[in-house]
Amino acid sequence: MAKSKKPLMIAAIGAGVAAVGAGLFAAFRSMKASAKAQHEVDKAEFEAVKAESKASFEEAKKD
């Protein structure tokens, strides 16, 4: 009687799913880091615009 190949196939499918899961996890980790970096850039730009606006307001107030 020949052995069934089902356990081997299931193991191969499981390994493939694990690899895809690991790849997705890495992609989401990368997206998280990118989003954090972009947030820091956005905060810095906001602060610069805010300071420029305040300076412009103070200058207009003097006149």
Side-chain angles (χ1 to χ4, degrees), residues 11-31:
I13 291 171
V17 169
V20 169
L24 286 173
F25 183 74
F28 279 109
R29 189 179 322 142
S30 175
M31 285 191 297

Side-chain angles (χ1 to χ4, degrees), residues 21-47:
L24 286 173
F25 183 74
F28 279 109
R29 189 179 322 142
S30 175
M31 285 191 297
K32 181 180 177 183
S34 178
K36 281 185 175 185
Q38 185 61 48
H39 179 67
E40 292 302 317
V41 169
D42 291 343
K43 280 189 347 186
E45 288 177 353
F46 176 78
E47 290 301 323

